[in-house]
Amino acid sequence: DADVTQTPRNRITKTGKRIMLECSQTKGHDRMYWYRQDPGLGLRLIYYSFDVKDINKGEISDGYSVSRQAQAKFSLSLESAIPNQTALYFCATEDRLTGELFFGEGSRLTVL
Amino acid sequence: ELKVEQNPLFLSMQEGKNYTIYCNYSTTSDRLYWYRQDPGKSLESLFVLLSNGAVKQEGRLMASLDTKARLSTLHITAAVHDLSATYFCAVDLFYNAGGTSYGKLTFGQGTILTVHP
């Protein structure tokens, strides 16, 4: 089983719908991240959380919200999806000593 | 604002050849990471470079970090088809708070490497 698990892996939805992407991890890391990947733009940080009580905005947080339900769970929500939120979304955890990130398999979201 | 730029963005190589991917970044950082991504897949950690002059090697790949020049290189030796993938560098604005990472990696655009027979 993967150390960082994302659900769903693929989702097609319509403009205006609410969508939640879920992430769970078994690595025991405190720090978790949500990134978005678009072709030619690398990965851009949406939100991050350093522990259960800590939530921080990344560089592209508009239109997104997150919830850290437990050390192992970090969810990303799109309250009202729009087509330019079509992308590949990655959850990651961080090894605090080295800063190395460990990524989930990704969630491909298409907003029509 | 930290900017991370990779060069080239597209690289087509013949098997057996050598080449280098460059990663430049715009502000002081002691930490740099290289990741590999196969099409439609997740990102896999290749190298963690934690100090100036760090050099790491794994198979046909070797990564180095020059923090004074704000430059990292990923050198490919005698390329093989299995190395075809997208390679990302990422930089950490390291903050020395109790020896732990500041977090929040900034990624380059990625280099799409294709190795031909």
Side-chain angles (χ1 to χ4, degrees):
Chain A
D1 288 343
D3 293 327
V4 183
T5 304
Q6 293 182 229
T7 57
R9 296 290 311 281
N10 287 284
R11 182 72 183 268
I12 300 173
T13 191
K14 294 182 179 180
T15 297
K17 295 292 188 181
R18 184 179 188 273
I19 294 295
M20 178 180 285
L21 306 180
E22 298 184 324
C23 177
S24 62
Q25 54 114 345
T26 58
K27 296 193 74 67
H29 293 159
D30 290 324
R31 296 183 173 187
M32 298 187 72
Y33 299 79
W34 276 103
Y35 282 90
R36 167 179 172 158
Q37 184 177 25
D38 298 279
L41 295 179
L43 277 76
R44 293 180 292 167
L45 182 63
I46 307 172
Y47 269 96
Y48 62 103
S49 170
F50 283 179
D51 63 42
V52 175
K53 297 180 181 179
D54 177 78
I55 300 289
N56 302 281
K57 292 182 178 180
E59 60 180 306
I60 56 163
S61 60
D62 287 349
Y64 302 94
S65 62
V66 291
S67 173
R68 185 80 184 267
Q69 299 95 327
Q71 187 209 37
K73 295 185 182 296
F74 191 35
S75 300
L76 176 72
S77 293
L78 288 68
E79 296 301 326
S80 179
I82 56 176
N84 75 1
Q85 292 178 312
T86 293
L88 183 56
Y89 291 85
F90 285 103
C91 173
T93 70
E94 180 192 345
D95 178 331
R96 284 186 69 182
L97 289 181
T98 65
E100 185 179 8
L101 295 183
F102 297 87
F103 288 87
E105 294 295 316
S107 295
R108 184 168 297 280
L109 176 65
T110 302
V111 183
L112 302 176
Chain B
E1 177 188 348
L2 173 61
K3 292 185 179 179
V4 181
E5 294 185 341
Q6 291 182 228
N7 177 41
L9 299 183
F10 300 92
L11 178 55
S12 180
M13 297 177 62
Q14 272 192 308
E15 283 189 329
K17 298 293 186 182
N18 304 333
Y19 208 84
T20 300
I21 299 172
Y22 298 89
C23 176
N24 291 92
Y25 54 97
S26 62
T27 192
T28 302
S29 175
D30 292 333
R31 298 188 164 197
L32 191 137
Y33 308 81
W34 284 96
Y35 290 87
R36 168 183 171 143
Q37 185 182 35
D38 293 310
K41 302 291 187 181
S42 184
L43 281 81
E44 172 192 359
S45 179
L46 290 176
F47 299 109
V48 177
L49 304 171
L50 300 181
S51 61
N52 184 40
V55 177
K56 296 220 175 149
Q57 183 163 5
E58 180 72 33
R60 301 175 187 274
L61 300 178
M62 184 173 71
S64 65
L65 177 62
D66 181 343
T67 59
K68 291 181 172 54
R70 300 178 185 174
L71 171 68
S72 179
T73 59
L74 180 65
H75 186 72
I76 303 156
T77 301
V80 293
H81 179 70
D82 285 351
L83 290 179
S84 297
T86 300
Y87 293 85
F88 291 96
C89 63
V91 177
D92 181 3
L93 283 176
F94 178 65
Y95 176 62
N96 190 12
T100 57
S101 167
Y102 186 69
K104 292 174 52 181
L105 299 191
T106 299
F107 284 78
Q109 313 97 307
T111 296
I112 299 174
L113 171 64
T114 305
V115 181
H116 299 284

